[in-house]
Amino acid sequence: MTERPPKVSLQNPSSWSVKDGLKFSGRLCYKGKLHSTEETFAIFDGVENPSQLSEILSDVSGKFSIIIQNGEELFFAHAPSGAAVPLFHTNRGGGFVSDRYCEIENKLQPQPWNPILGVELLSRGEIWGTQTLHPNIYKITRGMLVSFSSESSSFEYQRYYDVYQTKKVSDDQQQIFDELLSVLDSIFSRLKQRANTEPILLGLSGGYDSRLLALMLKRHEFDRVFTYTNNTQSSYDQNVAERLADQLDFEWIPIEHTHRNVQQMYKSNTWWDIEELTGGYGIHCPNPSALVTYSKLSEFESYPNEGIRLSGITPADGVHIPRFMIEENEIQVDKVGEYIVDDECSYMPLKDETTDTLAARVSDWIPFDGSVSNSTAIDILTNFYIHKHHFSNSALLADYFGYEDYRPYQDPDFLEFYASLPVEQKYERNCLENFTEQLNQKLAPTVPIGRDDGATQSGAKNKLKDIIIGSPLESPARVLKRMIESNVSDSPDE
C-alpha cells in the first residue's frame, strides 16, 4: 500500500524562501563560496533522490534547513553544523512536516510519553536523537537527511555529516597554529563577505573563546563591532572585557541582569511568543537570560537593532575530556555513553537503572560498536556537544529580535581541524588557549588573558534559585521534581 507524502506545514513563513517544490531557510556556502538564495535554488534544482541531495550537501556549510518535494518523494535536511530552523515530522506518510512542534502536536491525538524521555528532557533540557516526548513526532538533527517515498511508505534516515578524524595535523605546535590561523582566516573572510556593511555583535567575557572571536574581527578589520558583557560574569571578567574592547577599538556596554528583569520577562508577551516559537520537546527551552540580554540591547540607542550576532560556542570549551580518555588507548563505546550521561546529568543523581537506560540510548546514537581509539572517543564527545547546541534556540531568539546568529566555531572547516588535532592538544584546551594567547600578544598585549583564580561563579546556583522562587516557574518546577522522584536516587547528597 502506498501512502501520500506528509503535508508540509510551515508556521514561520518569514524564515523560508520558496520556489516550486523547494523550501529553503538560512544561508549556505557551497564549495567555499557564499551563495544568494537564488543561487542556492539553482544548486538544488533537479535533485530527484536522496543520493543526489547527499552529494551536494557534502560540499556545503552554513546554517540552513531545506525541504524538497518531488512528486511523491519528499526530502528534508539540516545543516551539518550551526543552529538551523527546527524541523519535526510524524512517523508515517499522510502526516505532517513542520517547523513547529506544537503545530503537529495539535493535529494528533494525545499519547502517553515515555517516562525515561521525560527524565532526559528535565535533566538535560533536551532529548537525545530524533525522538520527542510525543511518540509519533520526530525531529531531525544536524547533518541528517530524511527521505520519504510513497512506494515504501516509510521514512529513511541518513547522517551525511559527522566530525571524526580523517587526517592528523603535524605534532609541531607552530605548524598547528599556522593551520588554525588559516582556517579562521577563511571563516572570517566568508563572514566579512556575508556581513558586508552589517554590524557585528559579540558577547565578551574574560575567557578565551569570545576573545579569539574579537581578535579575529580586529585582524580582519571589521569596523562596526559592538560588544557587551552581562553582569552574570564576575567583576574581573567585566573589567577585562571592557579593556579588551577599548584596545581593539570596539564599542562596549555592560548588560545588567536583575531578579526583577527576569520576573518581568516571564510575565511579558515576549516570553509567550518565544515559547510558541521554540515549541520545546526536543529542543532547548527559552533561555530567560538571553531574552533579557536582547531586550536590554534594544535600550541602548547607540547599538544597532539588526546585524549579525556571533556565538562563541566551541567544542574546546564544552567537551570535558576525562582523564581516562588520555590514559587509555582503546575505550569501550558503552563507557563513553556512561560518561556522557554522568557529565550531562551530574547535578541530578539518578537511580542506577535510569542511568543505565539513558546510557544505552546514548550508545545507540553512537555510530560504533565495541571499542574505539581514544581519539575517536573524544570525537564522539565533540559530535554529541555539537548536536546538543544545534538545537539550542539562540538562532530563533536572534531572529525574533532582528539579528542573525552566526557560529564560527561550528563551521565545518573549524570542526574538521579540531578533529584532526592530536589528543594532547585537545586536552585541557591546550591548542585553543595557547593559540589565543599568542594572537592576543600581537593584537592586545596590555590586556590580561585567562580567568582570575580568585573569581568564582559559586553564586550562580543561588542566583538561579532566587530567580525561580516566587516566579511563575516555582510551581511547575516543584511539580516536575515530584514527577521524576521515582527515577531519582535516595542519595543523602541529593
Side-chain angles (χ1 to χ4, degrees), residues 345-385:
C345 305
S346 59
Y347 71 93
M348 182 181 288
L350 304 174
K351 287 183 176 180
D352 289 344
E353 56 266 33
T354 303
T355 301
D356 292 344
T357 302
L358 293 177
R361 278 181 40 73
V362 174
S363 297
D364 287 342
W365 169 84
I366 297 172
F368 302 101
D369 295 314
S371 62
V372 295
S373 68
N374 61 348
S375 177
T376 300
I378 293 171
D379 288 344
I380 291 171
L381 299 185
T382 301
N383 278 283
F384 187 85
Y385 181 76

mmCIF file of all heavy atoms in Angstrom, residues 345-385:
data_model
loop_
_atom_site.group_PDB
_atom_site.id
_atom_site.type_symbol
_atom_site.label_atom_id
_atom_site.label_comp_id
_atom_site.label_asym_id
_atom_site.label_seq_id
_atom_site.Cartn_x
_atom_site.Cartn_y
_atom_site.Cartn_z
ATOM 1 N N CYS A 345 24.142 14.815 33.399
ATOM 2 C CA CYS A 345 23.133 14.749 34.474
ATOM 3 C C CYS A 345 23.783 14.785 35.852
ATOM 4 O O CYS A 345 23.221 14.270 36.817
ATOM 5 C CB CYS A 345 22.289 13.488 34.320
ATOM 6 S SG CYS A 345 21.511 13.293 32.707
ATOM 7 N N SER A 346 24.961 15.388 35.959
ATOM 8 C CA SER A 346 25.729 15.328 37.197
ATOM 9 C C SER A 346 25.024 15.985 38.377
ATOM 10 O O SER A 346 25.220 15.593 39.530
ATOM 11 C CB SER A 346 27.102 15.976 36.995
ATOM 12 O OG SER A 346 26.950 17.331 36.586
ATOM 13 N N TYR A 347 24.206 17.009 38.106
ATOM 14 C CA TYR A 347 23.563 17.723 39.205
ATOM 15 C C TYR A 347 22.279 17.030 39.660
ATOM 16 O O TYR A 347 21.659 17.450 40.629
ATOM 17 C CB TYR A 347 23.235 19.163 38.788
ATOM 18 C CG TYR A 347 22.119 19.281 37.789
ATOM 19 C CD1 TYR A 347 20.811 19.485 38.205
ATOM 20 C CD2 TYR A 347 22.385 19.184 36.434
ATOM 21 C CE1 TYR A 347 19.786 19.579 37.282
ATOM 22 C CE2 TYR A 347 21.366 19.283 35.516
ATOM 23 C CZ TYR A 347 20.066 19.479 35.935
ATOM 24 O OH TYR A 347 19.058 19.567 35.026
ATOM 25 N N MET A 348 21.860 15.967 38.972
ATOM 26 C CA MET A 348 20.640 15.256 39.333
ATOM 27 C C MET A 348 20.958 13.773 39.498
ATOM 28 O O MET A 348 20.940 13.017 38.526
ATOM 29 C CB MET A 348 19.559 15.447 38.262
ATOM 30 C CG MET A 348 18.249 14.760 38.605
ATOM 31 S SD MET A 348 17.016 14.980 37.293
ATOM 32 C CE MET A 348 16.615 16.704 37.500
ATOM 33 N N PRO A 349 21.300 13.322 40.715
ATOM 34 C CA PRO A 349 21.664 11.914 40.920
ATOM 35 C C PRO A 349 20.477 11.000 40.631
ATOM 36 O O PRO A 349 19.448 11.068 41.296
ATOM 37 C CB PRO A 349 22.081 11.859 42.397
ATOM 38 C CG PRO A 349 21.405 13.039 43.026
ATOM 39 C CD PRO A 349 21.332 14.100 41.978
ATOM 40 N N LEU A 350 20.624 10.139 39.622
ATOM 41 C CA LEU A 350 19.547 9.257 39.200
ATOM 42 C C LEU A 350 19.782 7.838 39.707
ATOM 43 O O LEU A 350 20.907 7.455 40.039
ATOM 44 C CB LEU A 350 19.456 9.242 37.674
ATOM 45 C CG LEU A 350 19.271 10.596 36.982
ATOM 46 C CD1 LEU A 350 19.351 10.416 35.473
ATOM 47 C CD2 LEU A 350 17.950 11.227 37.380
ATOM 48 N N LYS A 351 18.700 7.056 39.747
ATOM 49 C CA LYS A 351 18.839 5.654 40.093
ATOM 50 C C LYS A 351 19.695 4.948 39.047
ATOM 51 O O LYS A 351 19.724 5.334 37.876
ATOM 52 C CB LYS A 351 17.463 4.995 40.169
ATOM 53 C CG LYS A 351 16.649 5.391 41.398
ATOM 54 C CD LYS A 351 15.336 4.628 41.437
ATOM 55 C CE LYS A 351 14.568 4.942 42.714
ATOM 56 N NZ LYS A 351 13.288 4.204 42.769
ATOM 57 N N ASP A 352 20.365 3.880 39.467
ATOM 58 C CA ASP A 352 21.281 3.180 38.567
ATOM 59 C C ASP A 352 20.578 2.694 37.309
ATOM 60 O O ASP A 352 21.118 2.807 36.203
ATOM 61 C CB ASP A 352 21.926 1.995 39.291
ATOM 62 C CG ASP A 352 22.927 2.434 40.351
ATOM 63 O OD1 ASP A 352 23.341 3.605 40.305
ATOM 64 O OD2 ASP A 352 23.276 1.607 41.214
ATOM 65 N N GLU A 353 19.348 2.136 37.469
ATOM 66 C CA GLU A 353 18.669 1.599 36.293
ATOM 67 C C GLU A 353 18.281 2.711 35.311
ATOM 68 O O GLU A 353 18.290 2.507 34.093
ATOM 69 C CB GLU A 353 17.422 0.794 36.697
ATOM 70 C CG GLU A 353 16.412 1.542 37.540
ATOM 71 C CD GLU A 353 16.611 1.325 39.032
ATOM 72 O OE1 GLU A 353 17.776 1.157 39.459
ATOM 73 O OE2 GLU A 353 15.605 1.323 39.749
ATOM 74 N N THR A 354 17.989 3.899 35.837
ATOM 75 C CA THR A 354 17.676 5.033 34.959
ATOM 76 C C THR A 354 18.927 5.481 34.220
ATOM 77 O O THR A 354 18.899 5.736 33.015
ATOM 78 C CB THR A 354 17.100 6.204 35.773
ATOM 79 O OG1 THR A 354 15.945 5.765 36.477
ATOM 80 C CG2 THR A 354 16.721 7.362 34.872
ATOM 81 N N THR A 355 20.032 5.583 34.949
ATOM 82 C CA THR A 355 21.303 5.956 34.319
ATOM 83 C C THR A 355 21.699 4.958 33.240
ATOM 84 O O THR A 355 22.145 5.337 32.154
ATOM 85 C CB THR A 355 22.412 6.047 35.378
ATOM 86 O OG1 THR A 355 22.051 7.024 36.358
ATOM 87 C CG2 THR A 355 23.734 6.446 34.752
ATOM 88 N N ASP A 356 21.515 3.659 33.529
ATOM 89 C CA ASP A 356 21.864 2.624 32.551
ATOM 90 C C ASP A 356 21.011 2.750 31.296
ATOM 91 O O ASP A 356 21.513 2.585 30.173
ATOM 92 C CB ASP A 356 21.679 1.231 33.163
ATOM 93 C CG ASP A 356 22.695 0.930 34.265
ATOM 94 O OD1 ASP A 356 23.710 1.653 34.335
ATOM 95 O OD2 ASP A 356 22.460 -0.015 35.046
ATOM 96 N N THR A 357 19.714 3.044 31.464
ATOM 97 C CA THR A 357 18.819 3.189 30.312
ATOM 98 C C THR A 357 19.215 4.391 29.465
ATOM 99 O O THR A 357 19.252 4.325 28.226
ATOM 100 C CB THR A 357 17.358 3.336 30.774
ATOM 101 O OG1 THR A 357 16.994 2.199 31.558
ATOM 102 C CG2 THR A 357 16.412 3.447 29.584
ATOM 103 N N LEU A 358 19.526 5.512 30.131
ATOM 104 C CA LEU A 358 19.946 6.707 29.393
ATOM 105 C C LEU A 358 21.269 6.462 28.672
ATOM 106 O O LEU A 358 21.452 6.881 27.525
ATOM 107 C CB LEU A 358 20.077 7.890 30.350
ATOM 108 C CG LEU A 358 18.779 8.410 30.979
ATOM 109 C CD1 LEU A 358 19.085 9.540 31.959
ATOM 110 C CD2 LEU A 358 17.819 8.888 29.914
ATOM 111 N N ALA A 359 22.201 5.774 29.348
ATOM 112 C CA ALA A 359 23.494 5.482 28.726
ATOM 113 C C ALA A 359 23.317 4.580 27.506
ATOM 114 O O ALA A 359 24.012 4.741 26.488
ATOM 115 C CB ALA A 359 24.431 4.831 29.739
ATOM 116 N N ALA A 360 22.383 3.631 27.584
ATOM 117 C CA ALA A 360 22.117 2.745 26.444
ATOM 118 C C ALA A 360 21.555 3.539 25.275
ATOM 119 O O ALA A 360 21.886 3.267 24.110
ATOM 120 C CB ALA A 360 21.149 1.640 26.855
ATOM 121 N N ARG A 361 20.712 4.544 25.570
ATOM 122 C CA ARG A 361 20.174 5.387 24.496
ATOM 123 C C ARG A 361 21.282 6.186 23.813
ATOM 124 O O ARG A 361 21.300 6.330 22.595
ATOM 125 C CB ARG A 361 19.108 6.339 25.054
ATOM 126 C CG ARG A 361 17.745 5.699 25.191
ATOM 127 C CD ARG A 361 16.675 6.644 25.711
ATOM 128 N NE ARG A 361 16.731 7.995 25.191
ATOM 129 C CZ ARG A 361 16.382 8.354 23.953
ATOM 130 N NH1 ARG A 361 15.977 7.434 23.087
ATOM 131 N NH2 ARG A 361 16.437 9.623 23.573
ATOM 132 N N VAL A 362 22.218 6.705 24.601
ATOM 133 C CA VAL A 362 23.338 7.442 24.018
ATOM 134 C C VAL A 362 24.202 6.504 23.178
ATOM 135 O O VAL A 362 24.625 6.848 22.076
ATOM 136 C CB VAL A 362 24.184 8.115 25.123
ATOM 137 C CG1 VAL A 362 25.417 8.758 24.518
ATOM 138 C CG2 VAL A 362 23.361 9.156 25.861
ATOM 139 N N SER A 363 24.454 5.296 23.703
ATOM 140 C CA SER A 363 25.281 4.336 22.972
ATOM 141 C C SER A 363 24.645 3.966 21.633
ATOM 142 O O SER A 363 25.350 3.749 20.636
ATOM 143 C CB SER A 363 25.508 3.077 23.821
ATOM 144 O OG SER A 363 26.235 3.399 25.007
ATOM 145 N N ASP A 364 23.315 3.893 21.596
ATOM 146 C CA ASP A 364 22.624 3.601 20.332
ATOM 147 C C ASP A 364 22.843 4.718 19.316
ATOM 148 O O ASP A 364 22.846 4.476 18.111
ATOM 149 C CB ASP A 364 21.117 3.421 20.580
ATOM 150 C CG ASP A 364 20.802 2.109 21.284
ATOM 151 O OD1 ASP A 364 21.662 1.210 21.270
ATOM 152 O OD2 ASP A 364 19.699 1.999 21.857
ATOM 153 N N TRP A 365 23.002 5.947 19.812
ATOM 154 C CA TRP A 365 23.231 7.102 18.930
ATOM 155 C C TRP A 365 24.645 7.093 18.350
ATOM 156 O O TRP A 365 24.889 7.620 17.270
ATOM 157 C CB TRP A 365 22.980 8.379 19.742
ATOM 158 C CG TRP A 365 23.413 9.649 19.088
ATOM 159 C CD1 TRP A 365 22.713 10.400 18.180
ATOM 160 C CD2 TRP A 365 24.650 10.340 19.285
ATOM 161 N NE1 TRP A 365 23.421 11.509 17.806
ATOM 162 C CE2 TRP A 365 24.632 11.494 18.475
ATOM 163 C CE3 TRP A 365 25.781 10.108 20.074
ATOM 164 C CZ2 TRP A 365 25.676 12.404 18.435
ATOM 165 C CZ3 TRP A 365 26.828 11.000 20.028
ATOM 166 C CH2 TRP A 365 26.766 12.135 19.220
ATOM 167 N N ILE A 366 25.597 6.452 19.048
ATOM 168 C CA ILE A 366 26.999 6.425 18.615
ATOM 169 C C ILE A 366 27.158 5.438 17.454
ATOM 170 O O ILE A 366 26.727 4.292 17.558
ATOM 171 C CB ILE A 366 27.910 6.013 19.795
ATOM 172 C CG1 ILE A 366 27.820 7.054 20.914
ATOM 173 C CG2 ILE A 366 29.359 5.864 19.326
ATOM 174 C CD1 ILE A 366 28.527 6.640 22.187
ATOM 175 N N PRO A 367 27.757 5.869 16.336
ATOM 176 C CA PRO A 367 27.834 5.002 15.148
ATOM 177 C C PRO A 367 28.974 3.994 15.191
ATOM 178 O O PRO A 367 29.565 3.676 14.155
ATOM 179 C CB PRO A 367 28.033 6.012 14.010
ATOM 180 C CG PRO A 367 28.799 7.123 14.631
ATOM 181 C CD PRO A 367 28.287 7.218 16.054
ATOM 182 N N PHE A 368 29.327 3.497 16.372
ATOM 183 C CA PHE A 368 30.385 2.496 16.513
ATOM 184 C C PHE A 368 29.938 1.442 17.512
ATOM 185 O O PHE A 368 29.095 1.704 18.384
ATOM 186 C CB PHE A 368 31.693 3.139 17.007
ATOM 187 C CG PHE A 368 32.226 4.236 16.121
ATOM 188 C CD1 PHE A 368 32.028 5.563 16.454
ATOM 189 C CD2 PHE A 368 32.913 3.940 14.958
ATOM 190 C CE1 PHE A 368 32.501 6.585 15.651
ATOM 191 C CE2 PHE A 368 33.404 4.956 14.142
ATOM 192 C CZ PHE A 368 33.196 6.275 14.485
ATOM 193 N N ASP A 369 30.526 0.258 17.400
ATOM 194 C CA ASP A 369 30.277 -0.826 18.351
ATOM 195 C C ASP A 369 31.602 -1.256 18.973
ATOM 196 O O ASP A 369 32.681 -0.988 18.433
ATOM 197 C CB ASP A 369 29.632 -2.033 17.648
ATOM 198 C CG ASP A 369 28.254 -1.708 17.103
ATOM 199 O OD1 ASP A 369 27.462 -1.089 17.835
ATOM 200 O OD2 ASP A 369 27.979 -2.083 15.938
ATOM 201 N N GLY A 370 31.500 -1.911 20.117
ATOM 202 C CA GLY A 370 32.703 -2.450 20.750
ATOM 203 C C GLY A 370 33.585 -1.371 21.327
ATOM 204 O O GLY A 370 33.149 -0.555 22.138
ATOM 205 N N SER A 371 34.828 -1.316 20.876
ATOM 206 C CA SER A 371 35.778 -0.335 21.390
ATOM 207 C C SER A 371 36.255 0.578 20.265
ATOM 208 O O SER A 371 36.195 0.218 19.085
ATOM 209 C CB SER A 371 36.983 -1.024 22.044
ATOM 210 O OG SER A 371 37.691 -1.797 21.087
ATOM 211 N N VAL A 372 36.722 1.755 20.664
ATOM 212 C CA VAL A 372 37.250 2.736 19.714
ATOM 213 C C VAL A 372 38.545 3.304 20.293
ATOM 214 O O VAL A 372 38.828 3.169 21.482
ATOM 215 C CB VAL A 372 36.245 3.885 19.458
ATOM 216 C CG1 VAL A 372 34.995 3.372 18.766
ATOM 217 C CG2 VAL A 372 35.891 4.602 20.756
ATOM 218 N N SER A 373 39.313 3.977 19.456
ATOM 219 C CA SER A 373 40.530 4.635 19.930
ATOM 220 C C SER A 373 40.151 5.813 20.814
ATOM 221 O O SER A 373 39.022 6.323 20.752
ATOM 222 C CB SER A 373 41.380 5.116 18.754
ATOM 223 O OG SER A 373 40.703 6.178 18.066
ATOM 224 N N ASN A 374 41.100 6.269 21.633
ATOM 225 C CA ASN A 374 40.798 7.417 22.492
ATOM 226 C C ASN A 374 40.510 8.664 21.671
ATOM 227 O O ASN A 374 39.694 9.502 22.053
ATOM 228 C CB ASN A 374 41.914 7.652 23.505
ATOM 229 C CG ASN A 374 43.263 7.963 22.860
ATOM 230 O OD1 ASN A 374 43.462 7.801 21.654
ATOM 231 N ND2 ASN A 374 44.204 8.422 23.675
ATOM 232 N N SER A 375 41.148 8.798 20.497
ATOM 233 C CA SER A 375 40.874 9.940 19.633
ATOM 234 C C SER A 375 39.432 9.911 19.130
ATOM 235 O O SER A 375 38.738 10.934 19.124
ATOM 236 C CB SER A 375 41.844 9.942 18.439
ATOM 237 O OG SER A 375 41.558 11.004 17.557
ATOM 238 N N THR A 376 38.958 8.731 18.717
ATOM 239 C CA THR A 376 37.575 8.609 18.260
ATOM 240 C C THR A 376 36.604 8.837 19.402
ATOM 241 O O THR A 376 35.534 9.440 19.217
ATOM 242 C CB THR A 376 37.343 7.221 17.632
ATOM 243 O OG1 THR A 376 38.216 7.058 16.515
ATOM 244 C CG2 THR A 376 35.892 7.057 17.171
ATOM 245 N N ALA A 377 36.950 8.379 20.605
ATOM 246 C CA ALA A 377 36.086 8.603 21.771
ATOM 247 C C ALA A 377 35.897 10.097 22.022
ATOM 248 O O ALA A 377 34.779 10.556 22.321
ATOM 249 C CB ALA A 377 36.680 7.925 23.009
ATOM 250 N N ILE A 378 36.978 10.870 21.875
ATOM 251 C CA ILE A 378 36.876 12.326 22.056
ATOM 252 C C ILE A 378 36.047 12.937 20.929
ATOM 253 O O ILE A 378 35.258 13.859 21.151
ATOM 254 C CB ILE A 378 38.284 12.949 22.127
ATOM 255 C CG1 ILE A 378 38.993 12.474 23.401
ATOM 256 C CG2 ILE A 378 38.200 14.477 22.117
ATOM 257 C CD1 ILE A 378 40.458 12.846 23.473
ATOM 258 N N ASP A 379 36.193 12.399 19.714
ATOM 259 C CA ASP A 379 35.364 12.877 18.603
ATOM 260 C C ASP A 379 33.889 12.612 18.873
ATOM 261 O O ASP A 379 33.027 13.407 18.482
ATOM 262 C CB ASP A 379 35.784 12.204 17.294
ATOM 263 C CG ASP A 379 37.121 12.701 16.769
ATOM 264 O OD1 ASP A 379 37.575 13.769 17.245
ATOM 265 O OD2 ASP A 379 37.706 12.034 15.908
ATOM 266 N N ILE A 380 33.570 11.501 19.525
ATOM 267 C CA ILE A 380 32.178 11.208 19.890
ATOM 268 C C ILE A 380 31.651 12.287 20.832
ATOM 269 O O ILE A 380 30.529 12.776 20.667
ATOM 270 C CB ILE A 380 32.070 9.813 20.550
ATOM 271 C CG1 ILE A 380 32.339 8.718 19.516
ATOM 272 C CG2 ILE A 380 30.688 9.616 21.175
ATOM 273 C CD1 ILE A 380 32.467 7.326 20.105
ATOM 274 N N LEU A 381 32.468 12.685 21.809
ATOM 275 C CA LEU A 381 32.065 13.766 22.711
ATOM 276 C C LEU A 381 31.835 15.052 21.937
ATOM 277 O O LEU A 381 30.877 15.800 22.212
ATOM 278 C CB LEU A 381 33.139 13.993 23.783
ATOM 279 C CG LEU A 381 33.471 12.843 24.725
ATOM 280 C CD1 LEU A 381 34.466 13.318 25.791
ATOM 281 C CD2 LEU A 381 32.238 12.266 25.379
ATOM 282 N N THR A 382 32.710 15.334 20.973
ATOM 283 C CA THR A 382 32.583 16.545 20.160
ATOM 284 C C THR A 382 31.269 16.536 19.388
ATOM 285 O O THR A 382 30.523 17.518 19.374
ATOM 286 C CB THR A 382 33.763 16.675 19.186
ATOM 287 O OG1 THR A 382 34.981 16.727 19.921
ATOM 288 C CG2 THR A 382 33.629 17.932 18.332
ATOM 289 N N ASN A 383 30.967 15.414 18.723
ATOM 290 C CA ASN A 383 29.726 15.315 17.965
ATOM 291 C C ASN A 383 28.511 15.458 18.865
ATOM 292 O O ASN A 383 27.518 16.092 18.490
ATOM 293 C CB ASN A 383 29.672 13.980 17.214
ATOM 294 C CG ASN A 383 30.445 14.005 15.914
ATOM 295 O OD1 ASN A 383 29.998 14.548 14.918
ATOM 296 N ND2 ASN A 383 31.642 13.437 15.933
ATOM 297 N N PHE A 384 28.588 14.886 20.037
ATOM 298 C CA PHE A 384 27.473 14.993 20.968
ATOM 299 C C PHE A 384 27.255 16.445 21.376
ATOM 300 O O PHE A 384 26.126 16.927 21.430
ATOM 301 C CB PHE A 384 27.732 14.133 22.205
ATOM 302 C CG PHE A 384 26.559 14.067 23.142
ATOM 303 C CD1 PHE A 384 25.552 13.146 22.941
ATOM 304 C CD2 PHE A 384 26.457 14.946 24.200
ATOM 305 C CE1 PHE A 384 24.452 13.102 23.789
ATOM 306 C CE2 PHE A 384 25.370 14.913 25.051
ATOM 307 C CZ PHE A 384 24.361 13.978 24.845
ATOM 308 N N TYR A 385 28.341 17.157 21.651
ATOM 309 C CA TYR A 385 28.239 18.554 22.080
ATOM 310 C C TYR A 385 27.666 19.423 20.964
ATOM 311 O O TYR A 385 26.807 20.277 21.197
ATOM 312 C CB TYR A 385 29.621 19.055 22.491
ATOM 313 C CG TYR A 385 29.631 20.483 22.975
ATOM 314 C CD1 TYR A 385 29.168 20.803 24.248
ATOM 315 C CD2 TYR A 385 30.100 21.511 22.162
ATOM 316 C CE1 TYR A 385 29.168 22.104 24.695
ATOM 317 C CE2 TYR A 385 30.110 22.818 22.606
ATOM 318 C CZ TYR A 385 29.647 23.110 23.879
ATOM 319 O OH TYR A 385 29.645 24.414 24.320
#
